[in-house]
Amino acid sequence: SRANCAGDSLDRNANALPSPRLTKPDAINSAINNGGSSSRPSPRTESTETLILRMKHDDAQLPMIVGIGASAGGPGALIKLLGGLPADFPLPIVLVQHLSAEFMPGLAQWLNRSCALTVRLAEMNELPHAGIIYVAPGNTHLRVSADKRLVLDSQPGRYRHWPAVDALFTSLAEAYGARAIGVVLTGMGEDGADGLRTMRNAGARTIAQNEETCVVFGMPAAAIALGGAEYVLPLPAIGAALLTLAGTGKPLVRSEH
């Protein structure tokens, strides 16, 4: 991790209140104690079955890409989530996992062996295609450009983490607007919270992993506190949500992980 500039801190005075069904960590308590308010509704936290049944996809605005961010506990969560998606999942996936640079190739290879989808490190200027999960290399921000090509940035910039989930999510909001899905998984800190809110404000569909299934309920809690999460879901339900929001009626693949 790299030192964060003052402008990277989250302004919790504008936070949305979290769902009352969530245990409130310090980040959420801060939002409540500060009298935070937002035009965004609280995240949807009904039973998992009800949420999935009620999810709607817009045939005129089907998503074109999925962005996922994770940190502490992420590899285990990713193997369960991505391992359950079918080989014909209709959207490309771009992924930021906080991990030392030397371990990133091994992570991509490990996920590739365990998933029906192809998993590999992202390359500069390539167009993302369905059926492939593009992993940000170590010490490199992964973004998507206005012409929807992958961009690798070797400069850490203002972000505490490198690669940063916020950098990816902000670029998805700019490039795809409402036609994207953002997912924040288990992780320490606040990376991804501001970016997920930016995606939601652009009309994208957004998901945060719930506390009960997180190894560290830091990044999802921060995203919820900022009003960035449309849905708060347990890890086993996120794959089904992605299939529903992507407009496919296909079931999840049975995962052995």
Side-chain angles (χ1 to χ4, degrees), residues 122-211:
E123 296 180 3
M124 185 70 175
N125 288 328
E126 62 182 328
L127 287 168
H129 294 285
I132 302 178
I133 301 168
Y134 302 88
V135 181
N139 294 345
T140 306
H141 293 308
L142 173 61
R143 294 183 174 93
V144 180
S145 65
D147 61 353
K148 299 179 174 55
R149 292 183 178 273
L150 301 185
V151 176
L152 301 181
D153 183 358
S154 61
Q155 299 301 313
R158 68 181 182 87
Y159 297 100
R160 175 181 297 176
H161 298 281
W162 188 34
V165 182
D166 276 331
L168 174 62
F169 284 179
T170 300
S171 75
L172 291 177
E174 293 171 351
Y176 290 93
R179 303 194 68 179
I181 303 171
V183 182
V184 172
L185 299 177
T186 176
M188 187 178 298
E190 300 172 334
D191 188 28
D194 189 61
L196 197 72
R197 177 176 61 176
T198 300
M199 289 186 69
R200 191 177 183 192
N201 286 342
R205 312 306 294 272
T206 58
I207 299 169
Q209 185 179 348
N210 74 349
E211 181 178 15

Coordinates of all heavy atoms in Angstrom, one line a residue, residues 122-211:
A122 N -4.5 -8.7 -17.4 CA -4.9 -7.7 -18.4 C -3.7 -7.2 -19.2 O -2.6 -7.1 -18.7 CB -5.7 -6.5 -17.8
E123 N -4.0 -6.8 -20.5 CA -2.9 -6.3 -21.3 C -3.4 -5.0 -21.9 O -4.5 -4.7 -22.1 CB -2.6 -7.2 -22.5 CG -2.0 -8.6 -22.0 CD -1.7 -9.5 -23.1 OE1 -1.8 -9.1 -24.3 OE2 -1.3 -10.7 -22.9
M124 N -2.4 -4.1 -22.1 CA -2.7 -2.7 -22.6 C -3.4 -2.7 -23.9 O -3.0 -3.5 -24.8 CB -1.3 -2.0 -22.7 CG -1.5 -0.5 -23.0 SD -2.2 0.4 -21.7 CE -2.1 2.1 -22.3
N125 N -4.4 -1.9 -24.0 CA -5.2 -1.6 -25.2 C -6.0 -2.7 -25.8 O -6.6 -2.6 -26.9 CB -4.2 -1.1 -26.4 CG -3.7 0.3 -26.1 OD1 -4.3 1.1 -25.5 ND2 -2.4 0.5 -26.5
E126 N -6.2 -3.8 -25.1 CA -7.1 -4.8 -25.6 C -8.5 -4.5 -25.3 O -8.9 -3.8 -24.3 CB -6.7 -6.2 -25.0 CG -6.8 -6.4 -23.5 CD -6.4 -7.8 -23.1 OE1 -6.6 -8.7 -23.9 OE2 -5.8 -7.9 -22.0
L127 N -9.4 -5.0 -26.2 CA -10.8 -4.9 -26.0 C -11.3 -6.0 -25.2 O -11.0 -7.2 -25.5 CB -11.5 -4.9 -27.4 CG -11.4 -3.6 -28.2 CD1 -11.9 -3.9 -29.6 CD2 -12.1 -2.4 -27.6
P128 N -12.0 -5.7 -24.1 CA -12.5 -6.8 -23.2 C -13.6 -7.6 -23.9 O -14.5 -7.1 -24.6 CB -13.1 -6.1 -22.0 CG -13.3 -4.7 -22.4 CD -12.4 -4.4 -23.5
H129 N -13.6 -8.9 -23.8 CA -14.5 -9.8 -24.5 C -15.2 -10.7 -23.4 O -14.6 -11.1 -22.4 CB -13.8 -10.7 -25.5 CG -13.3 -10.0 -26.7 ND1 -14.1 -9.5 -27.7 CD2 -12.0 -9.6 -27.0 CE1 -13.3 -8.9 -28.6 NE2 -12.0 -8.9 -28.2
A130 N -16.4 -11.1 -23.7 CA -17.2 -12.0 -22.9 C -16.4 -13.3 -22.8 O -15.7 -13.8 -23.7 CB -18.6 -12.3 -23.4
G131 N -16.5 -14.0 -21.6 CA -15.8 -15.2 -21.4 C -14.4 -15.1 -20.8 O -13.8 -16.1 -20.5
I132 N -14.0 -13.9 -20.6 CA -12.6 -13.6 -20.1 C -12.7 -12.7 -18.9 O -13.4 -11.7 -18.8 CB -11.7 -13.0 -21.2 CG1 -11.6 -13.9 -22.4 CG2 -10.3 -12.8 -20.6 CD1 -10.8 -13.3 -23.5
I133 N -11.9 -13.1 -17.9 CA -11.7 -12.3 -16.7 C -10.3 -11.7 -16.7 O -9.3 -12.4 -16.8 CB -11.9 -13.1 -15.4 CG1 -13.3 -13.8 -15.3 CG2 -11.7 -12.3 -14.1 CD1 -13.4 -14.9 -14.3
Y134 N -10.3 -10.4 -16.7 CA -9.0 -9.6 -16.9 C -8.6 -9.1 -15.5 O -9.3 -8.4 -14.8 CB -9.2 -8.4 -17.8 CG -9.7 -8.8 -19.2 CD1 -11.0 -8.9 -19.5 CD2 -8.8 -9.1 -20.2 CE1 -11.5 -9.3 -20.7 CE2 -9.2 -9.4 -21.5 CZ -10.5 -9.5 -21.7 OH -11.0 -9.9 -23.0
V135 N -7.4 -9.6 -15.0 CA -6.9 -9.3 -13.7 C -5.9 -8.2 -13.8 O -5.0 -8.2 -14.6 CB -6.3 -10.5 -13.0 CG1 -5.8 -10.2 -11.7 CG2 -7.3 -11.7 -13.0
A136 N -6.0 -7.2 -13.0 CA -5.0 -6.1 -12.9 C -3.7 -6.6 -12.5 O -3.6 -7.3 -11.5 CB -5.4 -5.0 -12.0
P137 N -2.6 -6.4 -13.3 CA -1.3 -6.8 -12.8 C -0.9 -6.1 -11.6 O -1.4 -5.1 -11.2 CB -0.4 -6.4 -14.0 CG -1.3 -6.2 -15.2 CD -2.6 -5.7 -14.6
G138 N 0.2 -6.6 -10.9 CA 0.6 -5.9 -9.7 C 1.3 -4.6 -10.0 O 1.8 -4.3 -11.1
N139 N 1.1 -3.6 -9.1 CA 1.7 -2.3 -9.2 C 1.3 -1.6 -10.5 O 2.0 -0.8 -11.1 CB 3.2 -2.3 -9.2 CG 3.8 -2.8 -7.8 OD1 3.0 -2.8 -6.8 ND2 5.0 -3.2 -7.8
T140 N 0.0 -1.8 -10.9 CA -0.5 -1.3 -12.1 C -2.0 -1.0 -12.0 O -2.7 -2.0 -11.7 CB -0.3 -2.2 -13.3 OG1 1.1 -2.5 -13.4 CG2 -0.7 -1.5 -14.6
H141 N -2.4 0.2 -12.1 CA -3.9 0.5 -12.2 C -4.5 -0.1 -13.4 O -3.9 0.0 -14.5 CB -4.2 2.0 -12.1 CG -3.8 2.6 -10.8 ND1 -4.2 2.1 -9.6 CD2 -3.0 3.7 -10.5 CE1 -3.7 2.9 -8.6 NE2 -3.0 3.9 -9.2
L142 N -5.7 -0.7 -13.3 CA -6.4 -1.1 -14.5 C -7.6 -0.2 -14.7 O -8.4 0.0 -13.7 CB -6.9 -2.6 -14.3 CG -7.8 -3.2 -15.3 CD1 -7.2 -3.2 -16.7 CD2 -8.3 -4.6 -14.9
R143 N -7.7 0.4 -15.9 CA -8.8 1.2 -16.2 C -9.4 0.8 -17.5 O -8.8 0.0 -18.3 CB -8.4 2.7 -16.3 CG -8.0 3.3 -15.0 CD -7.6 4.8 -15.2 NE -7.3 5.5 -13.9 CZ -6.1 5.7 -13.4 NH1 -5.1 5.2 -14.1 NH2 -5.9 6.4 -12.3
V144 N -10.6 1.4 -17.8 CA -11.2 1.2 -19.2 C -11.3 2.6 -19.8 O -11.8 3.5 -19.1 CB -12.5 0.5 -19.1 CG1 -13.1 0.3 -20.5 CG2 -12.4 -0.9 -18.5
S145 N -10.8 2.7 -21.0 CA -10.8 4.1 -21.7 C -12.2 4.4 -22.2 O -13.1 3.5 -22.3 CB -9.8 4.1 -22.8 OG -10.1 3.2 -23.8
A146 N -12.3 5.6 -22.7 CA -13.6 6.0 -23.3 C -14.0 5.2 -24.5 O -15.2 5.0 -24.8 CB -13.5 7.5 -23.7
D147 N -13.0 4.7 -25.2 CA -13.3 3.8 -26.4 C -13.3 2.3 -26.0 O -13.2 1.4 -26.8 CB -12.3 4.0 -27.5 CG -10.9 3.7 -27.2 OD1 -10.6 3.4 -26.0 OD2 -10.0 3.7 -28.1
K148 N -13.4 2.1 -24.6 CA -13.6 0.8 -24.1 C -12.5 -0.2 -24.3 O -12.7 -1.4 -24.5 CB -15.0 0.2 -24.6 CG -16.2 1.1 -24.1 CD -17.5 0.5 -24.6 CE -18.7 1.3 -24.1 NZ -18.6 2.8 -24.4
R149 N -11.3 0.3 -24.2 CA -10.1 -0.5 -24.2 C -9.5 -0.5 -22.8 O -9.6 0.4 -22.1 CB -9.1 0.0 -25.3 CG -9.5 -0.2 -26.7 CD -8.5 0.2 -27.7 NE -8.9 0.0 -29.1 CZ -8.8 -1.1 -29.7 NH1 -8.1 -2.2 -29.1 NH2 -9.2 -1.3 -31.0
L150 N -8.8 -1.6 -22.5 CA -8.1 -1.7 -21.2 C -6.9 -0.8 -21.2 O -6.1 -0.8 -22.2 CB -7.7 -3.1 -20.9 CG -8.9 -4.2 -20.9 CD1 -8.4 -5.5 -20.5 CD2 -10.0 -3.7 -20.0
V151 N -6.7 -0.1 -20.1 CA -5.6 0.8 -20.0 C -4.8 0.4 -18.7 O -5.4 0.2 -17.6 CB -6.0 2.3 -19.8 CG1 -4.8 3.2 -19.6 CG2 -6.8 2.7 -21.1
L152 N -3.5 0.2 -18.8 CA -2.7 -0.1 -17.7 C -1.8 1.1 -17.3 O -1.1 1.6 -18.2 CB -1.8 -1.3 -18.0 CG -2.5 -2.6 -18.4 CD1 -1.5 -3.7 -18.6 CD2 -3.5 -3.0 -17.3
D153 N -1.9 1.5 -16.1 CA -1.2 2.7 -15.6 C -0.2 2.3 -14.6 O -0.5 1.9 -13.5 CB -2.2 3.7 -15.1 CG -1.6 5.0 -14.7 OD1 -0.4 5.2 -14.8 OD2 -2.4 5.9 -14.3
S154 N 1.1 2.5 -14.9 CA 2.2 2.1 -13.9 C 2.5 3.2 -12.9 O 3.4 3.0 -12.1 CB 3.5 1.8 -14.7 OG 3.9 2.9 -15.4
Q155 N 1.8 4.3 -12.9 CA 2.0 5.4 -11.9 C 0.9 5.3 -10.8 O -0.3 5.2 -11.1 CB 1.8 6.8 -12.6 CG 2.9 7.0 -13.7 CD 4.3 6.9 -13.2 OE1 4.6 7.5 -12.2 NE2 5.1 6.2 -13.9
P156 N 1.4 5.2 -9.6 CA 0.4 5.1 -8.5 C -0.5 6.2 -8.3 O -1.7 6.0 -7.9 CB 1.3 4.9 -7.2 CG 2.6 5.6 -7.6 CD 2.8 5.3 -9.1
G157 N -0.1 7.4 -8.7 CA -1.1 8.6 -8.6 C -1.5 8.8 -7.1 O -0.7 8.6 -6.2
R158 N -2.7 9.3 -7.0 CA -3.2 9.7 -5.7 C -3.8 8.6 -4.8 O -4.2 8.8 -3.7 CB -4.3 10.7 -5.9 CG -5.6 10.2 -6.5 CD -6.7 11.3 -6.7 NE -7.9 10.8 -7.3 CZ -8.9 10.3 -6.5 NH1 -8.8 10.2 -5.2 NH2 -10.0 9.9 -7.1
Y159 N -3.8 7.4 -5.4 CA -4.4 6.3 -4.7 C -3.5 5.6 -3.6 O -2.3 5.5 -3.8 CB -4.9 5.2 -5.7 CG -5.9 5.8 -6.6 CD1 -5.6 6.1 -7.9 CD2 -7.3 5.9 -6.2 CE1 -6.5 6.6 -8.8 CE2 -8.2 6.4 -7.1 CZ -7.8 6.8 -8.4 OH -8.8 7.3 -9.3
R160 N -4.1 5.2 -2.5 CA -3.4 4.4 -1.5 C -3.0 3.1 -2.0 O -1.9 2.6 -1.7 CB -4.3 4.3 -0.3 CG -3.7 3.5 0.8 CD -4.6 3.4 2.0 NE -4.8 4.7 2.6 CZ -5.7 4.8 3.7 NH1 -6.3 3.8 4.2 NH2 -5.8 6.0 4.2
H161 N -3.8 2.4 -2.8 CA -3.6 1.1 -3.3 C -3.2 1.2 -4.8 O -3.6 2.1 -5.5 CB -4.8 0.2 -3.1 CG -5.1 0.0 -1.7 ND1 -4.4 -0.9 -0.8 CD2 -6.1 0.6 -0.9 CE1 -5.0 -0.8 0.4 NE2 -6.0 0.0 0.4
W162 N -2.4 0.2 -5.2 CA -1.9 0.2 -6.5 C -1.7 -1.3 -7.0 O -0.7 -1.9 -6.6 CB -0.5 0.9 -6.5 CG 0.1 1.2 -7.8 CD1 -0.4 1.5 -9.0 CD2 1.6 1.2 -8.0 NE1 0.5 1.7 -9.9 CE2 1.8 1.5 -9.3 CE3 2.7 1.0 -7.1 CZ2 3.1 1.7 -9.9 CZ3 3.9 1.1 -7.7 CH2 4.1 1.5 -9.0
P163 N -2.7 -1.8 -7.7 CA -3.9 -1.2 -8.3 C -5.0 -0.8 -7.3 O -5.1 -1.4 -6.2 CB -4.4 -2.3 -9.3 CG -4.0 -3.6 -8.5 CD -2.7 -3.3 -7.9
A164 N -5.8 0.1 -7.7 CA -6.9 0.6 -6.9 C -8.2 0.3 -7.5 O -8.4 0.4 -8.7 CB -6.8 2.2 -6.8
V165 N -9.1 -0.2 -6.7 CA -10.5 -0.5 -7.1 C -11.2 0.8 -7.5 O -11.9 0.8 -8.5 CB -11.3 -1.2 -6.0 CG1 -12.7 -1.5 -6.5 CG2 -10.5 -2.5 -5.5
D166 N -10.9 1.9 -6.8 CA -11.6 3.2 -7.2 C -11.2 3.6 -8.6 O -12.0 4.1 -9.3 CB -11.1 4.2 -6.2 CG -12.0 4.3 -4.9 OD1 -13.2 3.9 -5.0 OD2 -11.5 4.7 -3.8
A167 N -9.9 3.4 -9.0 CA -9.5 3.8 -10.3 C -10.3 3.0 -11.4 O -10.7 3.6 -12.4 CB -8.0 3.5 -10.5
L168 N -10.4 1.7 -11.1 CA -11.2 0.9 -12.1 C -12.7 1.3 -12.1 O -13.2 1.5 -13.2 CB -11.1 -0.6 -11.7 CG -12.0 -1.6 -12.5 CD1 -11.6 -1.6 -14.0 CD2 -11.9 -3.0 -11.9
F169 N -13.3 1.4 -11.0 CA -14.7 1.7 -11.0 C -15.0 3.1 -11.5 O -16.0 3.2 -12.3 CB -15.3 1.6 -9.5 CG -15.4 0.2 -9.0 CD1 -15.9 0.0 -7.7 CD2 -15.2 -0.9 -9.8 CE1 -16.1 -1.3 -7.2 CE2 -15.3 -2.2 -9.3 CZ -15.8 -2.4 -8.0
T170 N -14.2 4.0 -11.3 CA -14.5 5.4 -11.8 C -14.4 5.3 -13.3 O -15.2 6.0 -14.0 CB -13.4 6.4 -11.2 OG1 -13.6 6.4 -9.8 CG2 -13.7 7.8 -11.8
S171 N -13.4 4.6 -13.9 CA -13.3 4.5 -15.3 C -14.5 3.7 -15.9 O -15.0 4.1 -17.0 CB -12.0 3.8 -15.7 OG -12.1 2.4 -15.5
L172 N -15.0 2.8 -15.2 CA -16.2 2.1 -15.7 C -17.4 3.0 -15.8 O -18.2 2.9 -16.7 CB -16.5 0.8 -14.9 CG -15.5 -0.3 -14.9 CD1 -15.9 -1.4 -13.9 CD2 -15.4 -0.9 -16.3
A173 N -17.6 3.8 -14.8 CA -18.7 4.8 -14.7 C -18.6 5.7 -15.9 O -19.6 6.1 -16.6 CB -18.7 5.6 -13.4
E174 N -17.4 6.2 -16.2 CA -17.1 7.1 -17.3 C -17.3 6.5 -18.7 O -17.9 7.1 -19.6 CB -15.8 7.7 -17.2 CG -15.6 8.6 -16.0 CD -14.1 9.0 -15.7 OE1 -13.3 8.5 -16.4 OE2 -13.9 9.9 -14.9
A175 N -16.9 5.2 -18.8 CA -16.9 4.6 -20.1 C -18.3 3.9 -20.4 O -18.7 3.9 -21.6 CB -15.8 3.5 -20.2
Y176 N -18.9 3.4 -19.4 CA -20.1 2.6 -19.6 C -21.4 3.2 -19.0 O -22.5 2.8 -19.4 CB -19.9 1.2 -19.1 CG -18.9 0.3 -19.8 CD1 -17.6 0.3 -19.5 CD2 -19.3 -0.4 -20.9 CE1 -16.7 -0.5 -20.2 CE2 -18.4 -1.2 -21.6 CZ -17.1 -1.2 -21.2 OH -16.2 -2.0 -21.9
G177 N -21.3 4.1 -18.1 CA -22.5 4.7 -17.5 C -23.3 3.6 -16.8 O -22.9 2.8 -16.0
A178 N -24.6 3.6 -17.2 CA -25.5 2.6 -16.6 C -25.3 1.2 -17.1 O -25.8 0.2 -16.5 CB -27.0 3.0 -17.0
R179 N -24.5 1.0 -18.1 CA -24.3 -0.4 -18.7 C -23.1 -1.1 -18.1 O -22.3 -1.7 -18.8 CB -24.3 -0.3 -20.2 CG -25.5 0.4 -20.8 CD -25.6 0.2 -22.2 NE -25.9 -1.1 -22.6 CZ -26.1 -1.6 -23.8 NH1 -26.0 -0.7 -24.8 NH2 -26.4 -2.8 -24.1
A180 N -23.1 -1.1 -16.8 CA -22.0 -1.8 -16.1 C -22.5 -2.4 -14.7 O -23.6 -1.9 -14.2 CB -20.8 -0.9 -15.8
I181 N -21.8 -3.3 -14.2 CA -22.1 -3.8 -12.8 C -20.8 -3.7 -12.0 O -19.7 -4.1 -12.5 CB -22.5 -5.3 -12.9 CG1 -23.8 -5.5 -13.8 CG2 -22.8 -5.8 -11.5 CD1 -24.1 -7.0 -14.0
G182 N -21.0 -3.2 -10.8 CA -19.8 -3.1 -9.9 C -20.0 -4.0 -8.6 O -21.1 -4.0 -8.1
V183 N -19.0 -4.7 -8.2 CA -19.1 -5.6 -7.1 C -17.9 -5.3 -6.1 O -16.7 -5.4 -6.6 CB -19.1 -7.0 -7.5 CG1 -19.2 -7.9 -6.2 CG2 -20.2 -7.3 -8.5
V184 N -18.2 -5.0 -4.9 CA -17.1 -4.9 -3.9 C -17.2 -6.1 -2.9 O -18.2 -6.3 -2.3 CB -17.3 -3.6 -3.0 CG1 -16.3 -3.6 -1.9 CG2 -17.0 -2.4 -3.9
L185 N -16.1 -6.8 -2.9 CA -16.0 -8.0 -2.0 C -15.2 -7.7 -0.8 O -14.7 -6.6 -0.6 CB -15.4 -9.1 -2.8 CG -16.1 -9.6 -4.0 CD1 -15.3 -10.7 -4.7 CD2 -17.5 -10.1 -3.7
T186 N -15.0 -8.7 0.1 CA -14.3 -8.6 1.3 C -13.0 -7.9 1.2 O -12.3 -8.0 0.2 CB -14.1 -10.0 1.9 OG1 -13.3 -9.9 3.0 CG2 -13.3 -10.9 0.8
G187 N -12.6 -7.1 2.2 CA -11.4 -6.4 2.1 C -11.3 -5.3 3.2 O -12.3 -4.8 3.7
M188 N -10.0 -5.0 3.6 CA -9.8 -4.0 4.6 C -9.7 -2.6 4.0 O -9.2 -2.5 2.8 CB -8.4 -4.4 5.3 CG -8.1 -3.5 6.5 SD -6.5 -4.0 7.2 CE -7.0 -5.7 7.7
G189 N -10.1 -1.6 4.7 CA -10.0 -0.3 4.2 C -11.2 0.2 3.5 O -12.4 -0.3 3.7
E190 N -11.1 1.2 2.6 CA -12.2 1.9 1.9 C -12.1 1.9 0.4 O -12.9 2.5 -0.3 CB -12.2 3.3 2.5 CG -12.4 3.4 4.0 CD -12.3 4.8 4.5 OE1 -11.6 5.7 3.9 OE2 -12.9 5.1 5.6
D191 N -11.0 1.3 -0.1 CA -10.9 1.3 -1.6 C -12.1 0.7 -2.3 O -12.6 -0.3 -1.9 CB -9.6 0.6 -2.0 CG -9.3 0.7 -3.5 OD1 -9.6 1.8 -4.1 OD2 -8.6 -0.2 -4.0
G192 N -12.6 1.4 -3.3 CA -13.7 0.9 -4.0 C -15.0 1.6 -3.6 O -16.0 1.6 -4.4
A193 N -15.1 2.1 -2.4 CA -16.3 2.7 -1.9 C -16.7 3.9 -2.8 O -17.9 4.0 -3.2 CB -16.2 3.1 -0.4
D194 N -15.8 4.9 -3.0 CA -16.1 6.1 -3.7 C -16.4 5.7 -5.2 O -17.3 6.2 -5.8 CB -15.0 7.0 -3.7 CG -15.3 8.4 -4.3 OD1 -16.3 9.0 -3.8 OD2 -14.7 8.8 -5.3
G195 N -15.6 4.7 -5.7 CA -15.8 4.3 -7.1 C -17.2 3.6 -7.3 O -17.8 3.8 -8.3
L196 N -17.6 2.8 -6.3 CA -18.9 2.2 -6.5 C -20.0 3.2 -6.4 O -21.0 3.1 -7.2 CB -19.1 1.1 -5.4 CG -20.2 0.1 -5.6 CD1 -19.7 -0.9 -6.7 CD2 -20.5 -0.7 -4.4
R197 N -19.9 4.2 -5.6 CA -20.9 5.3 -5.5 C -20.9 6.0 -6.9 O -22.0 6.3 -7.4 CB -20.6 6.2 -4.4 CG -21.6 7.4 -4.4 CD -21.3 8.3 -3.2 NE -20.0 8.9 -3.2 CZ -19.6 9.8 -2.3 NH1 -20.4 10.2 -1.4 NH2 -18.3 10.3 -2.4
T198 N -19.8 6.2 -7.5 CA -19.7 6.9 -8.8 C -20.4 6.0 -9.8 O -21.2 6.6 -10.6 CB -18.3 7.1 -9.2 OG1 -17.6 8.0 -8.2 CG2 -18.2 7.8 -10.5
M199 N -20.2 4.7 -9.8 CA -20.9 3.9 -10.7 C -22.4 3.9 -10.5 O -23.2 4.0 -11.5 CB -20.4 2.4 -10.5 CG -19.0 2.2 -11.0 SD -18.5 0.4 -11.0 CE -19.6 -0.3 -12.3
R200 N -22.8 3.9 -9.3 CA -24.3 3.9 -9.0 C -24.9 5.2 -9.4 O -26.0 5.2 -10.0 CB -24.6 3.6 -7.5 CG -26.0 3.3 -7.2 CD -26.3 3.0 -5.8 NE -27.8 2.7 -5.7 CZ -28.4 2.6 -4.5 NH1 -27.7 2.7 -3.4 NH2 -29.7 2.3 -4.5
N201 N -24.2 6.3 -9.2 CA -24.7 7.6 -9.6 C -24.8 7.7 -11.1 O -25.6 8.5 -11.7 CB -23.8 8.7 -9.1 CG -24.0 8.9 -7.6 OD1 -25.0 8.5 -7.0 ND2 -23.0 9.6 -7.0
A202 N -24.0 6.9 -11.8 CA -24.1 6.9 -13.3 C -25.1 5.9 -13.8 O -25.3 5.8 -15.0 CB -22.7 6.5 -13.9
G203 N -25.8 5.2 -12.9 CA -26.9 4.3 -13.3 C -26.5 2.9 -13.3 O -27.4 2.0 -13.6
A204 N -25.3 2.5 -13.0 CA -24.9 1.1 -13.0 C -25.5 0.4 -11.8 O -26.0 0.9 -10.9 CB -23.3 1.1 -12.9
R205 N -25.5 -1.0 -11.9 CA -26.0 -1.8 -10.9 C -24.8 -2.1 -10.0 O -23.7 -2.5 -10.4 CB -26.6 -3.1 -11.5 CG -27.6 -2.9 -12.6 CD -28.7 -2.0 -12.3 NE -29.6 -2.5 -11.3 CZ -30.7 -3.2 -11.5 NH1 -31.0 -3.6 -12.8 NH2 -31.5 -3.6 -10.6
T206 N -25.0 -2.1 -8.7 CA -23.9 -2.2 -7.7 C -24.3 -3.2 -6.6 O -25.4 -3.2 -6.1 CB -23.5 -0.8 -7.2 OG1 -24.7 -0.2 -6.5 CG2 -23.0 0.1 -8.3
I207 N -23.2 -3.9 -6.2 CA -23.4 -5.0 -5.2 C -22.3 -4.9 -4.2 O -21.1 -4.7 -4.6 CB -23.4 -6.4 -5.8 CG1 -24.6 -6.5 -6.8 CG2 -23.5 -7.5 -4.7 CD1 -24.5 -7.8 -7.7
A208 N -22.6 -5.0 -2.9 CA -21.6 -5.2 -1.8 C -21.8 -6.5 -1.1 O -22.9 -6.9 -0.9 CB -21.6 -4.0 -0.8
Q209 N -20.7 -7.2 -0.8 CA -20.8 -8.4 -0.1 C -21.2 -8.1 1.4 O -20.8 -7.1 2.0 CB -19.4 -9.1 0.0 CG -19.5 -10.5 0.6 CD -18.1 -11.2 0.5 OE1 -17.2 -10.7 -0.2 NE2 -17.9 -12.2 1.3
N210 N -22.1 -9.0 1.9 CA -22.6 -8.7 3.3 C -21.5 -9.1 4.3 O -20.5 -9.8 4.1 CB -23.9 -9.4 3.5 CG -23.8 -10.9 3.7 OD1 -22.7 -11.5 3.5 ND2 -24.8 -11.6 4.1
E211 N -21.8 -8.6 5.5 CA -20.8 -8.7 6.6 C -20.6 -10.2 7.0 O -19.5 -10.6 7.3 CB -21.2 -7.9 7.9 CG -20.3 -8.0 9.0 CD -20.7 -7.2 10.2 OE1 -21.8 -6.8 10.3 OE2 -19.8 -7.0 11.1

